[in-house]
């Protein structure tokens, strides 16, 4: 099946996002089979404006339903966009069904006051056109954001193709959630321009982006990408070297692992385990991280370590081996989750929609409470 490329031009802002799209086989997962590119609009000088890609509700056949999702990125002067911090672009699907889904989602965001940017939904939607050739799609690009599925060979194939097309000033960035840059980019001519910029699901409401360099990535590449992410309203963090799972998934997997062990050993039910996070740690971590929590829960970090380190080490020594995530324990957790949310597409989609509405309200609250 041939790829399709989607791009949009922001008149007056110097931004043109582009994407390749193929069908999606896993409805509900934020990554579609596509790559997103940004470049200055032809004939437009000056800075670009940041832009979102909202996640449309998938059509019934799920073909390409998640191809565009939740956030994305502009370029302009110095590849960081203009001083305007508002999103100012929308996206038009090459397939009318996807455009209809996208228009519906953007209208809902606009009605709820959550649509990003100074432009209205219809104006944003009018800024997308289609392209059928990857070379044409990346012509003049300053930033390329790959978002194909988490398949190493597929990603390497795409980056090898891009490596033969782009010039020396283009950032080649992958959205991979755990594939190491050395596996993705080694051997490329433009390896100094390559890094992972891993967003978090759903990126429209969860702004974190992990920046993970290849050992040969130029510092300027990381700096440019960091500035770009900040300019479009994301929250980039720099990893100084690659590590399996990056930072977010290493923390997430540590929590999942111990959660699984507690359920598997009969210490707590699956439902109560989730409450420990949603009504306990999660309430706190939505605003401050674990290290600041330590700092605030005593008279500073050194006070906390002196007071609690022995207890922490004692408990940590009781942690068991890595779970298998299969067998009776998997069935037990599955049944408990299905009581709460049946695993048919309709119930899962409804629950995801509820989750996203909650995240939308939380994001709005955080923006009101925290200094920018």
């Amino acid at each position: 099946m041939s790829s399709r490329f989607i791009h949009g031009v922001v008149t007056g802002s110097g931004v043109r996002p582009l994407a390749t799209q193929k069908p999606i086989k896993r409805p509900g997962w934020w990554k579609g089979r596509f790559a997103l590119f940004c470049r200055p609009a032809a004939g437009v000088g000056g800075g670009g404006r940041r832009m979102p890609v909202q996640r449309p509700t998938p059509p019934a056949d799920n073909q390409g339903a998640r191809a565009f999702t939740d956030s994305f990125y502009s370029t302009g002067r110095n590849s960081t966009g203009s001083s305007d911090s508002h999103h100012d672009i929308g996206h038009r699907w090459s397939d009318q069904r996807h455009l209809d889904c996208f228009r519906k989602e953007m209208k809902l965001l606009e009605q709820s006051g959550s649509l990003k940017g100074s432009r209205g939904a219809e104006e944003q939607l009018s800024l997308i056109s289609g392209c059928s050739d990857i070379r044409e799609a990346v012509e003049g690009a300053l930033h390329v954001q790959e978002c194909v599925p988490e398949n190493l060979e597929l990603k390497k194939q795409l980056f090898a193709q891009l490596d033969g097309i782009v010039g020396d000033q283009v950032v080649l960035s992958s959205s991979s959630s755990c594939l190491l840059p050395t596996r993705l980019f080694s051997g490329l001519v433009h390896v100094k321009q390559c890094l992972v910029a891993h967003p978090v699901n759903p990126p429209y409401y969860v702004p974190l982006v992990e920046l993970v360099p290849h050992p040969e990535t130029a510092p300027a590449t990381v700096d440019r990408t960091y500035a770009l992410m900040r300019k479009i309203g994301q929250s980039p963090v720099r990893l100084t070297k690659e590590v399996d799972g990056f930072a977010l998934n290493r923390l997430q997997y540590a929590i999942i692992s111990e959660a699984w062990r507690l359920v598997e050993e009969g210490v707590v039910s699956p439902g109560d385990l989730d409450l420990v996070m949603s009504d306990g740690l999660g309430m706190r971590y939505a605003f401050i991280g674990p290290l600041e929590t330590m700092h605030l829960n005593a008279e500073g970090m050194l006070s906390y370590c002196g007071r609690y380190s022995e207890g922490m080490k004692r408990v940590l020594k009781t942690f068991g081996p890595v779970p298998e995530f299969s067998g009776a324990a998997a069935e037990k957790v599955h049944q408990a989750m299905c009581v709460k949310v049946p695993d048919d597409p309709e119930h899962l989609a409804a629950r995801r929609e509820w989750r996203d509405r909650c995240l939308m309200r939380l994001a709005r609250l955080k923006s009101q409470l925290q200094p920018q």
Side-chain angles (χ1 to χ4, degrees):
M1 182 176 294
S2 62
S3 297
R4 290 170 287 175
F5 302 90
I6 315 298
H7 66 83
V9 176
V10 182
T11 303
S13 72
V15 180
R16 179 172 290 162
L18 310 122
T20 68
Q21 174 199 337
K22 290 183 179 179
I24 296 163
K25 298 182 180 296
R26 292 186 294 171
W29 187 247
W30 82 270
K31 289 182 182 177
R33 189 178 291 268
F34 71 100
L36 182 64
F37 312 89
C38 302
R39 71 181 178 191
V44 178
R49 300 178 187 267
R50 66 183 187 161
M51 58 195 174
V53 182
Q54 292 87 351
R55 180 176 56 210
T57 302
D61 62 2
N62 294 309
Q63 296 298 294
R66 301 285 182 184
F68 269 106
T69 56
D70 297 315
S71 74
F72 251 102
Y73 305 62
S74 70
T75 59
R77 59 175 179 269
N78 299 325
S79 304
T80 62
S82 74
S83 59
D84 187 341
S85 62
H86 292 286
H87 291 272
D88 268 307
I89 189 165
H91 301 269
R92 186 174 70 237
W93 297 100
S94 57
D95 188 307
Q96 185 62 41
R97 294 171 305 164
H98 301 148
L99 175 59
D100 291 342
C101 291
F102 192 43
R103 174 174 284 107
K104 178 182 177 182
E105 196 75 14
M106 291 187 69
K107 286 292 188 181
L108 291 174
L109 287 166
E110 187 173 48
Q111 292 167 9
S112 68
S114 299
L115 182 67
K116 297 181 180 180
S118 60
R119 301 172 188 265
E122 286 297 332
E123 189 176 6
Q124 291 189 32
L125 285 163
S126 71
L127 300 174
I128 298 299
S129 58
C131 176
S132 60
D133 179 77
I134 190 172
R135 185 177 296 274
E136 179 184 347
V138 302
E139 181 182 357
L142 295 178
H143 185 98
V144 177
Q145 186 74 26
E146 166 271 309
C147 304
V148 304
E150 199 74 348
N151 179 297
L152 177 61
E153 292 307 314
L154 178 62
K155 289 179 183 289
K156 289 177 66 176
Q157 181 181 3
L158 177 59
F159 279 109
Q161 189 175 7
L162 291 169
D163 192 42
I165 297 174
V166 301
D168 295 336
Q169 302 302 315
V170 184
V171 172
L172 297 178
S173 177
S174 174
S175 295
S176 176
S177 59
C178 62
L179 293 174
L180 297 177
T182 48
R183 302 188 70 193
L184 290 169
F185 308 128
S186 291
L188 296 183
V189 172
H190 297 94
V191 65
K192 292 183 178 181
Q193 300 157 225
C194 297
L195 81 168
V196 168
H198 170 224
V200 184
N201 181 33
Y204 198 80
Y205 309 118
V206 183
L208 184 77
V209 180
E210 297 181 286
L211 304 184
V212 189
H214 184 280
E216 297 180 52
T217 299
T221 298
V222 181
D223 292 343
R224 284 176 57 186
T225 307
Y226 184 92
L228 174 60
M229 298 302 156
R230 287 294 301 270
K231 185 62 67 174
I232 65 172
Q234 303 301 99
S235 298
V237 295
R238 302 174 190 249
L239 275 65
T240 58
K241 60 182 179 180
E242 65 177 21
V243 61
D244 201 7
F246 311 150
L248 183 138
N249 275 327
R250 290 180 76 89
L251 291 173
Q252 178 172 237
Y253 295 164
I255 292 171
I256 290 174
S257 180
E258 184 56 22
W260 195 273
R261 284 192 293 263
L262 289 170
V263 170
E264 187 172 30
E265 294 172 7
V267 175
V268 65
S269 70
D272 282 351
L273 186 285
D274 274 355
L275 281 176
V276 170
M277 288 299 299
S278 63
D279 286 4
L281 292 175
M283 298 282 287
R284 183 188 288 164
Y285 290 166
F287 296 92
I288 60 175
L291 300 181
E292 187 177 352
T293 296
M294 295 167 67
H295 191 63
L296 297 181
N297 280 0
E299 288 67 51
M301 180 61 72
L302 295 180
S303 172
Y304 188 95
C305 291
R307 189 180 302 176
Y308 300 114
S309 61
E310 290 303 317
M312 288 191 293
K313 289 188 289 185
R314 185 188 71 251
V315 172
L316 287 168
K317 290 176 182 178
T318 69
F319 282 21
V322 176
E324 292 297 326
F325 302 108
S326 61
E331 185 62 32
K332 178 181 179 179
V333 174
H334 174 71
Q335 290 179 3
M337 294 299 100
C338 286
V339 169
K340 188 172 186 178
V341 185
D343 63 350
D344 60 273
E346 182 177 355
H347 282 92
L348 290 172
R351 187 64 170 177
R352 293 187 191 105
E353 183 178 349
W354 172 84
R355 175 202 65 186
D356 290 355
R357 289 199 305 270
C358 292
L359 289 170
M360 180 194 306
R361 297 177 67 178
L362 178 61
R364 192 182 307 156
L365 176 62
K366 285 172 67 77
S367 69
Q368 295 168 355
L369 294 177
Q370 295 185 352
Q372 299 299 313

